[in-house]
Amino acid sequence: MPRRRQSAASRAVPFEVVEDLDDGLASPEASVGAAAADGSAPAGHVGDGARAAGSVGSAAGDGADGTQGRFGEAPSGAGDTSSGSRTIRWKPWAAVAGVLALVIGGLAIGGEIEERRTAARLVASVGGVLPFTGPPQELWSFDLSNHFWMPFGGLLLSQVDEEGLTAVDVLTGKEVWQATVGPDAYCGRPSIWQTLAEETGPLLCLSGTADARVVSVLDTEGQVTGSRNLGPVVEGASYAVGPGATVVHVRRDGPVGPPVGPRELYDEGGEPTFVDVPGGRAVVVTLEDAVSGDVLWENEVPFVAPDEAWECQDLGDMATFALDRVSSMTTGYVVTVDGCGISAAFDADGTRLDDVTSQDDLVEPLTATTVSRFDQTTQHTTVLDRTGTSLWEVTGPLLRPSATDGTGEDTVLVDTLSGLAAFRPDGTELWDASTYASRLFVHTSAVMVVDDGANGLTALDPTTGRTLWTVPGEDSVYPFGAATDGSQAVVLAHDDDGSARSVGYDLATGEVLWTGASAPNVGMLGYHGALLQLQLSENRVSRVG
């Protein structure tokens, strides 16, 4: 928070009225310079701006012998009548003008600094976008050319040829760099719940074929600073980018367990049937240094018979089982592992964070030092520290915001299944309300915007839970995503016919500020300060604002 500035009106500015002054005296600018010529703050100075002005103009107050005069006095010898010099005095209008100029200049500088801080906060926030007015207009467009794109650190990465990778700045749409990383490259860390999360480590890319996978480390200029041949990827194994400069290697290991028994299976038409599911194998999870290959930790996850057969179905052929299927994903500092009969979550140091007795819990980072663990069967949330120690518990899932402006991190919203409740990250309850909501669209320090269960919006005071405003829903309009610049909520909704439209709401009042044109097959999200529009049918991404 910027330092609070004092009112200029409350400050005493000493000056001397001299009636016998000549007309050819120093200008106000020269007087301001002389006033602070000794480098010290004169009485009545108005902050950093005065010090800066004084240092620039210090030469104006130097005496012939190199000494400097005090405020309101001439340099040594300047008062000697035999020298012909005249004593310089401040005029009232000069003092007032100088003070006002410094105050106005200081306010302007302070405003610019605050704008920069706000912009930096929005860029670093989930779903935060830089301020704009009116219906969003296209600022730039990027043709994906049928290539998969990935976000990383404010860049959109896309493979442009067999081994090339290009990076485009999301704010300007300009190409930042190109790199060669190998065929079928996949870069960054896809997230379970936050697709465009801010990255916290170097850019790592996995590329190559199943016979020879390679990991590459790239710097901010797109230069490959290190790489390692991971070798072939055998059946029942896979690699993924881990926390920081690491790679997660998961592989099936050990003997096949006893048959699972009959489990319900769904075919492509959605018809259920019961089939006998065979047993599976355990999984070994290894975290390795990306370049050196040093093993940082290794853990084994035992096979647990799944409750339903679909967990082991082959996604390509639903009539068969993929018993050895296993994959890994990293969200922040949490590494998750999933597969047939396998579900686990680890901290970056190897501490297991999930409930080993449950196959239906979801572990996600909550703060830099805590995680939330939600059991989808019991609908119960436990908040733990990164050693796995339980800190507090609550019934219902946490509602994570689609968008923030970086000011609401000290409040955690929970769908308690009978209403809403708000907590501090340490578990202190702030309030509970009977308001229904299953989605949190926008969260700032001043307002929480949630759904109302009927396609409408409700805004709540984060400190009290009091309803601030409501927007009635429409039967044919279904809100599903949001972004914010801190003063407005940009909500994207789908219509019955599949078209999408965006609407800007004033966060303080709920007033509709603008409505965008409807378009089919369009998605919209905030990322790194940019409001991105995804035109799925045209395989194109653009920034609007």
Side-chain angles (χ1 to χ4, degrees):
M1 178 179 293
R3 183 176 55 194
R4 184 175 181 181
R5 300 181 180 274
Q6 297 182 24
S7 171
S10 65
R11 300 181 127 174
V13 181
F15 58 89
E16 180 180 355
V17 179
V18 181
E19 297 181 354
D20 60 347
L21 289 177
D22 294 341
D23 292 334
L25 296 182
S27 66
E29 291 82 1
S31 300
V32 171
D38 63 353
S40 62
H45 82 104
V46 288
D48 297 341
R51 288 194 292 272
S55 63
V56 170
S58 61
D62 291 346
D65 60 354
T67 60
Q68 298 177 333
R70 296 189 302 274
F71 176 66
E73 297 182 2
S76 176
D80 188 349
T81 56
S82 64
S83 66
S85 300
R86 290 171 295 187
T87 300
I88 297 176
R89 293 289 186 268
W90 279 58
K91 290 184 178 181
W93 61 264
V96 173
V99 170
L100 288 177
L102 292 173
V103 170
I104 293 172
L107 291 175
I109 293 174
E112 182 178 351
I113 292 174
E114 185 60 30
E115 286 181 1
R116 291 181 179 179
R117 288 175 175 170
T118 299
R121 189 178 70 243
L122 289 168
V123 165
S125 301
V126 176
V129 298
L130 296 180
F132 70 96
T133 58
Q137 304 295 318
E138 185 174 288
L139 302 178
W140 59 258
S141 180
F142 179 50
D143 184 4
L144 299 177
S145 301
N146 297 317
H147 291 295
F148 186 79
W149 66 276
M150 301 149 282
F152 185 90
L155 303 175
L156 295 182
L157 310 178
S158 178
Q159 193 157 3
V160 294
D161 53 39
E162 186 177 352
E163 297 190 0
L165 188 72
T166 186
V168 174
D169 186 289
V170 295
L171 293 178
T172 65
K174 296 180 179 179
E175 183 179 293
V176 179
W177 49 256
Q178 285 192 347
T180 300
V181 294
D184 298 323
Y186 195 90
C187 307
R189 303 162 186 83
S191 168
I192 294 176
W193 58 270
Q194 190 176 308
T195 306
L196 301 185
E198 284 298 307
E199 295 286 351
T200 57
L203 175 58
L204 269 63
C205 294
L206 296 172
S207 62
T209 64
D211 295 330
R213 294 293 281 171
V214 174
V215 59
S216 303
V217 182
L218 284 71
D219 63 16
T220 56
E221 303 298 323
Q223 299 296 315
V224 177
T225 60
S227 63
R228 179 167 63 98
N229 190 341
L230 301 174
V233 180
V234 299
E235 184 178 0
S238 67
Y239 287 96
V241 175
T246 64
V247 172
V248 182
H249 182 206
V250 292
R251 68 183 189 278
R252 293 281 179 173
D253 189 61
V256 175
V260 171
R263 292 291 188 272
E264 195 170 38
L265 179 70
Y266 290 85
D267 61 21
E268 294 181 355
E271 296 297 327
T273 184
F274 281 88
V275 296
D276 287 325
V277 177
R281 296 186 294 165
V283 167
V284 175
V285 184
T286 306
L287 190 72
E288 305 171 355
D289 182 274
V291 177
S292 70
D294 293 342
V295 174
L296 304 178
W297 53 261
E298 188 170 87
N299 280 298
E300 181 176 293
V301 181
F303 176 88
V304 177
D307 294 329
E308 298 182 63
W310 65 262
E311 298 179 34
C312 297
Q313 282 184 261
D314 188 332
L315 300 180
D317 182 0
M318 299 185 70
T320 63
F321 293 113
L323 297 177
D324 277 347
R325 178 178 57 83
V326 63
S327 62
S328 176
M329 187 175 290
T330 298
T331 304
Y333 51 80
V334 174
V335 176
T336 58
V337 182
D338 290 285
C340 178
I342 297 295
S343 178
F346 299 92
D347 185 79
D349 67 1
T351 301
R352 187 160 181 180
L353 300 172
D354 64 303
D355 183 351
V356 297
T357 65
S358 173
Q359 290 290 293
D360 293 318
D361 56 350
L362 179 63
V363 178
E364 305 166 345
L366 181 60
T367 69
T369 58
T370 61
V371 300
S372 65
R373 185 173 69 198
F374 176 61
D375 190 312
Q376 300 177 76
T377 299
T378 65
Q379 296 288 294
H380 192 78
T381 294
T382 305
V383 176
L384 312 96
D385 65 20
R386 293 177 60 176
T387 68
T389 301
S390 175
L391 301 177
W392 55 279
E393 300 181 356
V394 64
T395 298
L398 308 187
L399 298 184
R400 297 183 180 273
S402 300
T404 76
D405 67 347
T407 64
E409 292 88 345
D410 60 347
T411 306
V412 179
L413 191 64
V414 179
D415 172 12
T416 62
L417 309 183
S418 61
L420 295 177
F423 298 83
R424 295 293 186 199
D426 64 4
T428 302
E429 184 172 349
L430 299 175
W431 51 264
D432 66 86
S434 59
T435 305
Y436 169 84
S438 61
R439 298 194 64 181
L440 174 56
F441 288 113
V442 175
H443 185 186
T444 74
S445 60
V447 64
M448 291 176 169
V449 181
V450 299
D451 71 312
D452 66 356
N455 299 337
L457 303 176
T458 299
L460 304 173
D461 185 323
T463 59
T464 65
R466 180 174 63 89
T467 297
L468 302 176
W469 50 261
T470 60
V471 174
E474 301 178 42
D475 291 339
S476 60
V477 179
Y478 309 97
F480 70 93
T484 187
D485 63 3
S487 63
Q488 65 179 321
V490 181
V491 178
L492 185 67
H494 275 163
D495 295 337
D496 274 339
D497 60 3
S499 61
R501 61 174 174 168
S502 56
V503 181
Y505 298 93
D506 188 309
L507 280 178
T509 65
E511 175 189 0
V512 175
L513 301 176
W514 51 263
T515 300
S518 297
N521 299 315
V522 171
M524 187 176 288
L525 48 84
Y527 172 56
H528 207 78
L531 184 59
L532 298 180
Q533 182 172 280
L534 312 176
Q535 295 170 300
L536 306 179
S537 58
E538 300 178 17
N539 204 20
R540 192 160 61 103
V541 59
S542 58
R543 182 192 173 191
V544 296

